[in-house]
Amino acid sequence: MAYRVLVTDDVDPEGLALLAAETELLVDEVPTLPKDELLRRIGDYDAIVGRSATKISAELLRAAKKLRVVGRAGVGVDNIALDVATELGVAIINAPAGNTVAVAELFFGTVIGLLRQLPAAALSMQNGVWDRSKLMGRELKGKTLGIVGLGRIGSEVAMRAHAFGMTVVAFDPYIADERFTALRVRRAASLDALIAESNILTMHVPLNDETRGMIGKRELGRLPARSIVVNMARGGIVDEAALLAALEADQLRGAVLDVFTAEPLVADSPLRTAPNLLLTPHLGANTVEAQRNVSRDVCLAVRDALLHNDLSKSINVAGGSGEWGDLQPAMLVARRAAAVARAVLADQGMRAVRRLALRIGPDLAHGAGPLLAAAAAGVLEGVIETDRLNLINARSLAEARGLELSVGESNELGHPRAIEIALAGGMQQLAVAGVAPEDSKPRLTRIGQFHVDVNPRQTLLILTNHDVPGVIGRVGTLLGERKVNIAEYHQARLAQGGDALAAISVDGAVSEETRKALLELPDVLTASVAHFGAE
Ligand SMILES: NC(=O)C1=CN([C@@H]2O[C@H](COP(=O)(O)OP(=O)(O)OC[C@H]3O[C@@H](n4cnc5c(N)ncnc54)[C@H](O)[C@@H]3O)[C@@H](O)[C@H]2O)C=CC1
Ligand SMILES: O=C(O)C(=O)COP(=O)(O)O
């Protein structure tokens, strides 16, 4: 089956060629579409790849019945209704690293341009003027640079600022002290403290509820006299009206804006004629190198998501570390162990699961988020009606049904790559455990108190029976008569003559009628079937 990919917003051809090279991907490249036209067309597509000009609204996502992936050839995802995408199970993939240097270089280009009055100088030369006295500049050396957001771009700016002889201070409550030390950046205790000493204040944070309007009239008023404010992050992080007022009152030396609350900036915006304001039309990422990088990065990840169901690059899988190569077998165990626990409990009359507790061995600790999502998907599969149950929406769908989810690391599971799922509801609970060793196949190792050893393939039959001779033969004969092929049969018991449990891995499906027939066999006490969905 071929997947259709819609590409908007001038995405670099090098990445698109990677998509077009796949026979299973049909790529349609269009210019940035007006909202209504995009809404009309989106229903035909499995993926959309674009940049900041295309708004991926809640309305668009709900209309996009086939959509599985949104690729963003760049960093900021404030143009995407992330919550709705997560609820619908649509993967959001961005290209976080490819344009970092482009923004950092534009920072120095524009700030030096502003300090040395380069736009005015160039214009004066075009106009036949030679006036050096009016074009006196200032240097970066010795000035204090205040960076808000010491992430990828903030860090690159900091490194280059040292080369210019600047003092570098930053405010970022989410970054550890070690990173500040490694970058030789002094940590400001608060945003206010940073503002109070910044000759140049620059914003490198995402736009969200915490950062919208972060620099307003009050903050601008607290900057040292004759400071410069730079916003290359997102429009609205620096309040445009307050900035305009501060520039008109000659309170600042100047400002640089590359991003605007509404883009494109309207032709008659008062910002266009404000004094000492250097404007660029969202050029931060506009270099040949950056566009090639982000296009390649995002297209590869979109390809892998569509063709190989690899969601490791989706930013809306909670806790994803980005590297899932070693986690896939563990995710399979988590999902299947949860499905087994749910099936067995349902046959004991417990249909409403209330709690899912995941415990993982230390070598899987980095995958806690995706593993919990996989376990949630295992509990829900076959229970809820959705054709888009996946690692992206499983946790939110489970929580919406009142299921409490938790995950913890444990050294007591007997293997560093062990996984245990405990489901509970009412008075009942059941734990199912497994392992995902690096060098052998994933196995289920425990169902309740019974030790088993079975590779959970397409379908697992779980029987409990009296531990008496003849049961295995009768079960095998019944399944054989019904053309159910047994791949593995693992019999476990707690004590001779007590209860026993059989974990039987079979090919294909086991009908409800076959399950009932198994229950009719002498000495069989319970029979549960876990059909595993697609991986
Ligand atoms: N002008 C342009 O063309 C471009 C603009 N951008 C913008 O730059 C932003 C930053 O990009 P990256 O550095 O790659 O992202 P990043 O995620 O590496 O860094 C963002 C940093 O902001 C920090 N942060 C978040 N909330 C904060 C708060 N309330 N106070 C202080 N710090 C806070 C985070 O801890 C993080 O370290 C993007 O979100 C995007 O909006 C990115 C690329 C191009
Ligand atoms: O990557 C980002 O966040 C940017 O702001 C770049 O946006 P663009 O892809 O140039 O529309």
Side-chain angles (χ1 to χ4, degrees):
M1 192 186 84
Y3 297 107
R4 295 188 64 184
V5 183
L6 183 67
V7 179
T8 65
D9 298 348
D10 266 337
V11 177
D12 186 83
E14 199 166 307
L16 300 183
L18 296 168
L19 293 177
E22 300 290 334
T23 48
E24 289 151 90
L25 300 180
L26 300 175
V27 180
D28 291 338
E29 211 184 328
V30 297
T32 303
L33 294 176
K35 179 173 166 268
D36 290 346
E37 195 179 340
L38 183 60
L39 200 58
R40 207 160 36 73
R41 293 176 67 160
I42 195 70
D44 295 335
Y45 290 95
D46 302 278
I48 178 168
V49 177
R51 291 170 57 188
S52 60
T54 295
K55 306 288 168 238
I56 310 290
S57 64
E59 183 188 16
L60 186 81
L61 287 164
R62 294 205 191 278
K65 299 291 180 212
K66 289 169 65 183
L67 197 69
R68 290 176 50 201
V69 185
V70 174
R72 161 48 168 133
V75 185
V77 287
D78 47 289
N79 58 324
I80 301 170
L82 266 180
D83 288 357
V84 177
T86 304
E87 173 198 324
L88 296 175
V90 176
I92 306 297
I93 294 174
N94 68 349
N99 60 25
T100 306
V101 168
V103 182
E105 290 190 2
L106 186 68
F107 170 83
F108 289 99
T110 51
V111 172
I112 291 175
L114 185 74
L115 285 171
R116 304 298 289 267
Q117 303 193 56
L118 298 185
L123 196 65
S124 73
M125 291 297 277
Q126 278 169 8
N127 291 337
V129 179
W130 182 274
D131 186 349
R132 303 199 302 161
S133 60
K134 271 200 189 140
L135 295 171
M136 191 60 76
R138 297 265 173 171
E139 295 174 10
L140 291 175
K141 186 171 178 204
K143 305 291 185 304
T144 297
L145 173 64
I147 301 175
V148 183
L150 196 60
R152 284 174 295 259
I153 297 171
S155 300
E156 293 293 332
V157 167
M159 287 184 228
R160 286 157 179 74
H162 289 306
F164 283 105
M166 303 184 82
T167 299
V168 189
V169 193
F171 171 68
D172 190 331
Y174 306 107
I175 295 288
D177 285 340
E178 292 73 24
R179 178 79 181 145
F180 277 77
T181 309
L183 289 165
R184 291 186 291 132
V185 174
R186 179 154 53 76
R187 185 195 272 283
S190 64
L191 180 61
D192 276 354
L194 182 81
I195 288 171
E197 63 172 321
S198 295
N199 302 121
I200 299 173
L201 180 74
T202 185
M203 312 304 293
H204 299 291
V205 290
L207 177 67
N208 55 36
D209 290 345
E210 211 177 87
T211 61
R212 191 172 289 109
M214 201 173 195
I215 304 300
K217 183 169 184 251
R218 175 183 164 279
E219 289 72 24
L220 292 171
R222 290 178 167 223
L223 282 163
R226 315 297 299 149
S227 295
I228 286 175
V229 173
V230 180
N231 185 10
M232 307 204 147
R234 275 299 175 271
I237 293 173
V238 175
D239 183 299
E240 287 173 359
L243 182 70
L244 190 62
L247 288 167
E248 280 171 351
D250 206 21
Q251 187 187 320
L252 299 174
R253 182 174 303 287
V256 177
L257 292 183
D258 183 48
V259 287
F260 303 88
T261 311
E263 294 184 9
L265 185 67
V266 289
D268 60 353
S269 165
L271 290 172
R272 291 193 188 257
T273 49
N276 303 317
L277 178 57
L278 199 160
L279 303 177
T280 45
H282 203 147
L283 292 183
N286 257 42
T287 66
V288 169
E289 296 87 342
Q291 286 309 310
R292 199 185 294 142
N293 292 341
V294 294
S295 172
R296 208 188 296 127
D297 291 351
V298 82
C299 289
L300 282 174
V302 167
R303 179 197 69 185
D304 291 347
L306 284 175
L307 299 184
H308 311 301
N309 206 19
D310 172 2
L311 299 179
S312 58
K313 300 286 188 305
S314 333
I315 56 171
N316 53 343
V317 176
S321 65
E323 288 307 327
W324 284 12
D326 73 319
L327 282 181
Q328 297 291 358
M331 288 199 281
L332 182 121
V333 170
R335 187 165 180 156
R336 298 196 165 173
V340 167
R342 195 242 315 127
V344 172
L345 284 171
D347 289 324
Q348 293 174 10
M350 193 201 84
R351 299 204 168 265
V353 181
R354 284 281 153 258
R355 278 188 306 284
L356 182 164
L358 168 69
R359 290 201 299 161
I360 50 182
D363 288 6
L364 295 174
H366 63 291
L371 288 167
L372 189 59
V379 173
L380 296 177
E381 70 193 352
V383 176
I384 60 163
E385 273 308 309
T386 172
D387 48 1
R388 283 205 281 205
L389 171 64
N390 59 24
L391 294 175
I392 292 157
N393 59 4
R395 286 174 65 168
S396 67
L397 286 174
E399 281 163 356
R401 293 167 61 86
L403 189 66
E404 265 175 47
L405 304 174
S406 66
V407 54
E409 188 185 328
S410 172
N411 285 316
E412 291 158 13
L413 297 169
H415 193 287
R417 296 177 62 84
I419 296 121
E420 182 201 68
I421 310 282
L423 297 189
M427 298 296 285
Q428 284 146 308
Q429 69 165 8
L430 181 69
V432 175
V435 287
E438 270 173 323
D439 51 359
S440 60
K441 285 217 162 73
R443 320 283 297 166
L444 291 185
T445 53
R446 187 159 46 80
I447 300 176
Q449 290 179 293
F450 294 95
H451 288 278
V452 297
D453 183 15
V454 66
N455 178 15
R457 294 169 66 251
Q458 295 176 1
T459 301
L460 194 72
L461 249 172
I462 305 103
L463 303 184
T464 54
N465 57 276
H466 294 306
D467 181 27
V468 292
V471 179
I472 297 180
R474 284 196 288 273
V475 170
T477 305
L478 187 146
L479 292 176
E481 280 165 6
R482 285 157 192 263
K483 307 273 180 284
V484 177
N485 192 39
I486 298 176
E488 283 184 76
Y489 196 127
H490 191 97
Q491 183 77 23
R493 65 183 185 188
L494 299 179
Q496 191 176 355
D499 283 351
L501 178 141
I504 310 165
S505 178
V506 303
D507 299 330
V510 172
S511 67
E512 179 58 12
E513 200 238 318
T514 300
R515 188 181 79 86
K516 288 205 170 118
L518 286 164
L519 279 172
E520 299 288 310
L521 291 176
D523 296 308
V524 170
L525 302 171
T526 64
S528 304
V529 180
H531 288 296
F532 303 125
E535 279 154 40

